[in-house]
Amino acid sequence: MINLKSKTSNFSFPKALLLTLVALLLGMGGCAAPSDTQKNKLAEDLKTAEKSNSTLTLNKVILEQANEKGELFWKVKSKDAVYSKDNKIVNVQKPVGKLFQDGKEIYDIQAETGEVFQEGNQIFLKGKIVATDLKNGVVLKGNELEWRPKQDVLVVRNNLTGDNKQMNASAKEARVFTRARRMELFGSVVADIKDPVLQLRTEHLIWFLDQQKVSSDKPSQLDRYKDQKVTDRGFADQTDVDLKTKIATLTKNAQLMPSDPPLQIDSSLMSWNFPAQSVVSPGPVKVFHRVEKVTMTGDTGRGDLDKKIFYMTGNVLGIGQKRQSQLNSDRVIWYLANQTFDAEGNVVYRQLDPVFNLTGPKASGQLKDQTVIVKGDGGGGQVVTEFVPDEKNATLGK
């Protein structure tokens, strides 16, 4: 049941509209209170409109919709309203009001026009939509708004933008599930995170409003900016960003490409900590230096991008492409600034020119220019050097 209120009177219709006027009534002017004759005339007009197939035009009305418990779904003021019995719709102009869930105000809304459906408990607004979340200040703008309270969903679409103190976003459509405090954005989603300055691009983004997190289950690109320039770029099939801790988790086909140092980091899972300027991969990870053409892989990896140091652990394999050198070890610390490394545990070093192999407990040096020293551990660990005379048949890994 839709309710339209007035300062003057109430009129009731079985299973239909309860209509009441707020201010000036159709055909009545001035500031004087309406007379009993005018009230009776209005009642007759409303009954006539209800019984006939005609429409009824009203000025300055308030529309309300409530559930069986009397809890409001919405309350909307309108400059003009036209009720059509055939369509069971009230068309409104310049609507301004509030949306309710479980009897509590949840959104302020305004628009150019709207349709309020007598059946179906639905309100549809169009043109210059502004919907403001009263709890966390998210402001949604677009050209269409649909509120379906029984389904617990608010839909805003057509040139959609959303903004609050942590993030700006644009998409083709937003669906807000008010009880779950979750907003889902669909289609060409661009989310600009304010601190740190990030831009997330994807086709589907879930914004957990109370937890202050965003998540995408679609392939995504995450760019970090400094001085309006992209400094680091990440890719993944699934991306989660915690807006409070400022940590992004990249999952499935995850790749991170920082510009300084110029790396390409690949893994199935990595955590990117923006304040600490660090990246952690608890699983297999591959790190490629895009300038020096040196690659390190390991069972796990941890990088300090600010200090330009990477720590690799478990079955570490390092390859220098320029000079065809190879390093195997249990653990490696890679100093990216000068391209040196410290390796420890079951070290094996191989190179092609000149061809020889070194094994020992420890090693240090540079893969890019084949300057490597393999050391003993002082506890009996020996260094073994193997020269391969036939260079034409020598290959790495043999």
Side-chain angles (χ1 to χ4, degrees):
M1 180 178 66
I2 301 175
N3 194 26
L4 284 82
K5 288 188 175 180
S6 146
K7 295 179 180 178
T8 58
S9 52
N10 290 317
F11 303 95
S12 185
F13 302 94
K15 297 182 180 180
L17 298 177
L18 178 60
L19 302 177
T20 317
L21 300 182
V22 168
L24 294 177
L25 305 177
L26 184 65
M28 299 166 59
C31 297
S35 64
D36 291 339
T37 302
Q38 290 170 325
K39 293 179 183 178
N40 293 334
K41 178 65 168 60
L42 174 63
E44 292 174 3
D45 289 343
L46 294 172
K47 289 179 180 179
T48 299
E50 178 65 19
K51 292 178 181 179
S52 69
N53 292 326
S54 63
T55 60
L56 180 65
T57 301
L58 306 170
N59 302 117
K60 297 183 179 179
V61 295
I62 295 178
L63 299 92
E64 294 180 353
Q65 177 75 39
N67 61 14
E68 296 80 3
K69 299 178 182 179
E71 297 174 334
L72 285 176
F73 287 152
W74 65 71
K75 183 175 182 179
V76 176
K77 296 180 181 179
S78 174
K79 180 180 178 181
D80 299 294
V82 178
Y83 169 60
S84 171
K85 179 186 175 183
D86 287 345
N87 298 325
K88 296 183 178 180
I89 293 175
V90 180
N91 292 284
V92 293
Q93 299 293 321
K94 302 291 183 182
V96 176
K98 295 182 182 295
L99 304 180
F100 295 77
Q101 186 60 271
D102 302 322
K104 298 179 181 179
E105 298 178 2
I106 55 172
Y107 269 87
D108 282 337
I109 57 170
Q110 66 182 61
E112 290 290 303
T113 63
E115 295 177 342
V116 181
F117 294 81
Q118 179 183 347
E119 303 294 340
N121 299 310
Q122 184 179 355
I123 185 170
F124 184 72
L125 305 181
K126 296 183 69 174
K128 297 182 180 179
I129 301 296
V130 179
T132 304
D133 188 318
L134 298 177
K135 183 174 182 180
N136 54 37
V138 174
V139 179
L140 295 174
K141 296 182 180 180
N143 285 320
E144 295 181 4
L145 178 149
E146 188 176 355
W147 172 228
R148 301 194 296 264
K150 288 194 173 182
Q151 299 177 33
D152 184 37
V153 61
L154 170 68
V155 181
V156 181
R157 62 173 74 91
N158 195 348
N159 293 323
L160 165 76
T161 62
D163 179 30
N164 80 341
K165 63 182 180 180
Q166 291 181 316
M167 189 174 80
N168 299 329
S170 63
K172 292 182 179 179
E173 178 176 298
R175 299 176 193 172
V176 183
F177 300 89
T178 57
R179 290 193 181 97
R181 305 294 301 158
R182 183 179 85 249
M183 181 188 302
E184 297 196 26
L185 305 173
F186 298 88
S188 302
V189 181
V190 179
D192 291 309
I193 299 168
K194 299 178 181 180
D195 183 21
V197 182
L198 307 170
Q199 185 176 87
L200 175 62
R201 293 177 175 269
T202 186
E203 288 299 313
H204 179 218
L205 186 69
I206 306 172
W207 190 352
F208 300 95
L209 299 169
D210 287 351
Q211 294 95 329
Q212 300 179 50
K213 296 179 180 180
V214 293
S215 176
S216 175
D217 56 1
K218 299 293 183 181
S220 305
Q221 176 177 319
L222 182 61
D223 293 342
R224 184 175 187 180
Y225 284 80
K226 185 176 182 180
D227 298 328
Q228 301 182 336
K229 294 182 180 180
V230 177
T231 59
D232 312 288
R233 177 164 287 168
F235 304 89
D237 290 347
Q238 179 175 327
T239 303
D240 301 274
V241 182
D242 191 316
L243 302 176
K244 291 189 297 183
T245 63
K246 303 174 184 178
I247 296 175
T249 302
L250 308 180
T251 309
K252 297 179 182 178
N253 297 313
Q255 184 179 93
L256 178 61
M257 298 182 69
S259 59
D260 186 19
L263 303 177
Q264 177 179 314
I265 307 167
D266 296 278
S267 180
S268 60
L269 173 64
M270 67 177 77
S271 176
W272 185 7
N273 187 315
F274 301 108
Q277 269 291 82
S278 66
V279 56
V280 176
S281 176
V285 59
K286 176 181 177 181
V287 183
F288 174 60
H289 196 288
R290 303 196 306 269
V291 175
E292 300 298 340
K293 308 301 181 184
V294 174
T295 303
M296 288 276 186
T297 62
D299 290 344
T300 65
R302 174 173 59 90
D304 187 323
L305 301 179
D306 190 36
K307 295 181 179 179
K308 299 179 176 61
I309 299 175
F310 225 96
Y311 303 86
M312 310 289 288
T313 305
N315 297 306
V316 181
L317 171 63
I319 295 177
Q321 294 182 10
K322 291 181 179 180
R323 298 291 183 90
Q324 292 295 292
S325 54
Q326 177 177 307
L327 173 73
N328 296 82
S329 181
D330 293 336
R331 296 172 297 281
V332 170
I333 302 175
W334 188 9
Y335 304 96
L336 297 160
N338 57 15
Q339 282 299 297
T340 62
F341 68 86
D342 288 326
E344 185 175 355
N346 299 309
V347 176
V348 177
Y349 173 74
R350 300 179 178 92
Q351 70 177 42
L352 285 180
D353 186 16
V355 179
F356 66 92
N357 300 334
L358 294 172
T359 61
K362 295 181 179 181
S364 62
Q366 290 182 322
L367 285 177
K368 68 171 186 174
D369 59 6
Q370 295 182 324
T371 305
V372 177
I373 300 174
V374 178
K375 310 172 186 177
D377 58 9
Q382 295 182 345
V383 177
V384 178
T385 304
E386 178 184 357
F387 291 94
V388 182
D390 188 2
E391 295 185 11
K392 293 182 181 180
N393 296 325
T395 57
L396 289 177
K398 287 189 176 182

